[in-house]
Amino acid sequence: MTRHVRSSWEAALLVCRKCSKRQGGGFGPKGKTPLAKALKKEMGGKKGRKAHVGVVEVKCLGVCPRHAVTMIDTRDPHQWLLVKPGTGIAEIVEDLKLPA
């Protein structure tokens, strides 16, 4: 049986947990926060399916760059992003032109 669940997401960001773990966080004010958690905090507001943008940590995206975290914006799944630790979260959100 299949069920449909409504969501307020206008976009979803898939963040590679394996890459993020290997960087030891690397984001946020102290540089110790994983990318997915830092993005969720920066966008604030609602959580889960009530948020405007879903941030989903996935097991592994299979790219495994040395000094970056792999991320996919589902609005443009052909363009994968490599985010270097220390990149400002506000800068990432602005570059992605995510809905507020």
Side-chain angles (χ1 to χ4, degrees):
M1 179 161 142
T2 305
R3 286 187 169 187
H4 294 268
V5 178
R6 291 183 189 251
S7 168
S8 297
W9 292 3
E10 295 177 31
L13 300 175
L14 307 180
V15 180
C16 181
R17 178 181 294 135
K18 186 177 176 182
C19 293
S20 192
K21 199 173 206 178
R22 196 174 334 140
Q23 301 307 322
F27 299 91
K30 295 182 181 178
K32 295 183 180 180
T33 307
L35 179 58
K37 188 173 183 177
L39 282 167
K40 288 177 187 177
K41 188 172 183 178
E42 175 70 23
M43 290 184 280
K46 300 176 183 172
K47 294 182 179 182
R49 61 190 181 118
K50 294 182 181 182
H52 290 293
V53 177
V55 179
V56 181
E57 250 187 341
V58 295
K59 190 172 182 176
C60 182
L61 291 170
V63 174
C64 302
R66 247 176 223 256
H67 301 289
V69 177
T70 308
M71 183 171 69
I72 300 172
D73 180 351
T74 59
R75 297 172 300 169
D76 188 9
H78 297 88
Q79 203 68 343
W80 290 27
L81 307 161
L82 301 179
V83 184
K84 292 185 178 186
T87 305
I89 297 300
E91 181 183 339
I92 296 168
V93 171
E94 186 179 315
D95 285 349
L96 292 170
K97 297 177 178 67
L98 294 170

